[in-house]
Amino acid sequence: MSDACVKVEDIEPLLQAAGDLGLDTAALVPAGANTIPIIDYFRFQRTIALASDDLTAVISSRKLTYRTGHFLLTQMQQAGSLLTTLETLAEHMNMMHGDAYNSLRYSDDRVSLVVDDSQFPYRSRENTAFVELVGDCLTIKIHCLLDSLTEGLASTALKRIRLKRKRGIERQPQNSFWQVPIEYGAPAYELIYDFDRACETIRIREKVDLSADGVFSRVIGYLETRLPQAGEQSFTARTLDLIDDGMTLQSEVADRLDVSVATLRRRLAEEGAHFRELVLNTKLRRAEAMLRRGCSVAHTTEVLDYSDIRAFNRAFKRWKGQTPAAFAQTCQS
């Protein structure tokens, strides 16, 4: 799992989407890098998803808002076993996407979550490498989500993975994530779990609050606790992850990173960053996304907890060189 990564050449459509959204791709993918860790792939997707207000990170031609993802996981929290979690996931993902892409398949001792994307409206369907990468990483994303909700039961119950890509001489680096056998050349993606384990009673105790930026934050948080390289991330990157999760107090972030507030400030300063600026830039990034999708300046000010519209106007103008109203008008025109 620790060496799971994706090839930069395979995410070219995401790089193009990031550029179209005005994002700094150099900050997302280091110059000259041939691969990025799997956790950074999901960070990259999350940044694009937030900027576009699209849970699919513009991979699909059908946009899904973050509130949709929040609704899905609120429903999943009511599940009493891995099996019912799988059932709820399949049902509501189909409802969200408007088609039956997900289903459950049963055998005597196995239950499989089947994801058939053969008719999924990919924006870049002609790019086979990208579509296969997205499918591979989707199975990882789903399993991380399930394992985080079931407190590790999904990992102990997982028996096998089926992928659509054909077996090649070189194993694709993202699939180093898996510690179970992989079958290649399947007609659809499958996560295959032990049926008896899947029926064990569980209780999803944790409050599921995904109003900030959807499923990605949960998956990234899950991977951070399990991948050795997550601890090697810069303090700036780790701090930004927590700010994206809704933590805007230095004391909260320092506590999560197991350091004092003074140490957090010092480590950020060594990396050329400051906590207040990171919070401000995150707010302004969200403000830009809200204004792009037609939210009013007044509503954006309220959601981002600015004291008044004048303070928001000043901050936004320093950042973008124009007022929020002018920026919104430009986007609409």
Side-chain angles (χ1 to χ4, degrees), residues 280 284 306 309-322 324:
L280 176 62
L284 292 172
Y306 273 91
I309 288 180
R310 287 178 298 177
F312 175 50
N313 282 341
R314 287 194 299 269
F316 194 89
K317 189 171 183 178
R318 282 196 299 268
W319 186 53
K320 298 294 289 186
Q322 59 184 152

Side-chain angles (χ1 to χ4, degrees), residues 102-142:
N102 308 274
S103 61
L104 264 61
R105 186 166 60 82
Y106 301 89
S107 64
D108 290 342
D109 60 351
R110 298 285 188 270
V111 57
S112 302
L113 176 63
V114 182
V115 182
D116 185 354
D117 68 344
S118 57
Q119 299 302 315
F120 188 78
Y122 287 111
R123 289 182 185 269
S124 304
R125 178 166 288 280
E126 71 286 352
N127 188 330
T128 302
F130 177 66
V131 171
E132 289 182 342
L133 169 74
V134 169
D136 290 351
C137 291
L138 177 63
T139 61
I140 295 171
K141 180 179 172 183
I142 291 173

Side-chain angles (χ1 to χ4, degrees), residues 7-183:
K7 296 178 180 177
V8 172
E9 63 181 312
D10 288 347
I11 60 171
E12 185 58 39
L14 285 182
L15 292 169
Q16 179 64 50
D20 293 344
L21 290 165
L23 299 174
D24 181 6
T25 56
L28 299 169
V29 178
N34 294 319
T35 63
I36 59 174
I38 188 71
I39 192 171
D40 285 347
Y41 166 79
F42 290 120
R43 287 187 176 112
F44 188 19
Q45 272 203 322
R46 179 177 65 178
T47 300
I48 294 173
L50 179 60
S52 61
D53 186 40
D54 183 359
L55 191 63
T56 74
V58 302
I59 287 171
S60 169
S61 59
R62 297 174 186 166
K63 180 177 177 179
L64 294 178
T65 67
Y66 276 117
R67 293 298 300 174
T68 310
H70 180 78
F71 169 75
L72 164 68
L73 287 178
T74 300
Q75 300 301 306
M76 289 178 67
Q77 192 182 15
Q78 309 303 315
S81 67
L82 173 60
L83 179 60
T84 53
T85 304
L86 290 167
E87 292 170 342
T88 304
L89 176 64
E91 176 186 356
H92 288 280
M93 287 297 288
N94 287 340
M95 181 174 63
M96 288 161 58
H97 285 286
D99 213 330
Y101 301 116
N102 308 274
S103 61
L104 264 61
R105 186 166 60 82
Y106 301 89
S107 64
D108 290 342
D109 60 351
R110 298 285 188 270
V111 57
S112 302
L113 176 63
V114 182
V115 182
D116 185 354
D117 68 344
S118 57
Q119 299 302 315
F120 188 78
Y122 287 111
R123 289 182 185 269
S124 304
R125 178 166 288 280
E126 71 286 352
N127 188 330
T128 302
F130 177 66
V131 171
E132 289 182 342
L133 169 74
V134 169
D136 290 351
C137 291
L138 177 63
T139 61
I140 295 171
K141 180 179 172 183
I142 291 173
H143 179 68
C144 291
L145 174 62
L146 291 169
D147 206 40
S148 73
L149 287 169
T150 61
E151 298 185 350
L153 176 63
S155 283
T156 62
L158 187 66
K159 295 301 179 185
R160 189 173 294 271
I161 296 295
R162 290 195 175 109
L163 302 178
K164 290 181 67 174
R165 70 168 62 246
K166 295 180 180 178
R167 181 185 295 276
I169 297 175
E170 178 185 2
R171 176 169 171 163
Q172 294 301 307
Q174 63 269 15
N175 294 322
S176 297
F177 172 87
W178 299 111
Q179 307 298 308
V180 296
I182 300 175
E183 295 180 17

Side-chain angles (χ1 to χ4, degrees), residues 204-259:
I204 301 175
R205 299 178 177 85
E206 183 180 351
K207 180 180 178 182
V208 182
D209 181 7
L210 299 176
S211 57
D213 60 350
V215 178
F216 291 107
S217 291
R218 190 175 192 93
V219 171
I220 291 166
Y222 171 88
L223 289 172
E224 282 180 330
T225 65
R226 286 160 175 79
L227 298 181
Q229 72 264 28
E232 299 169 8
Q233 290 286 326
S234 69
F235 258 71
T236 302
R238 296 163 68 190
T239 299
L240 278 172
D241 280 340
L242 295 173
I243 293 172
D244 278 335
D245 283 343
M247 294 186 185
T248 57
L249 297 178
Q250 284 191 82
S251 56
E252 285 185 315
V253 172
D255 185 61
R256 282 290 297 272
L257 295 177
D258 197 26
V259 297

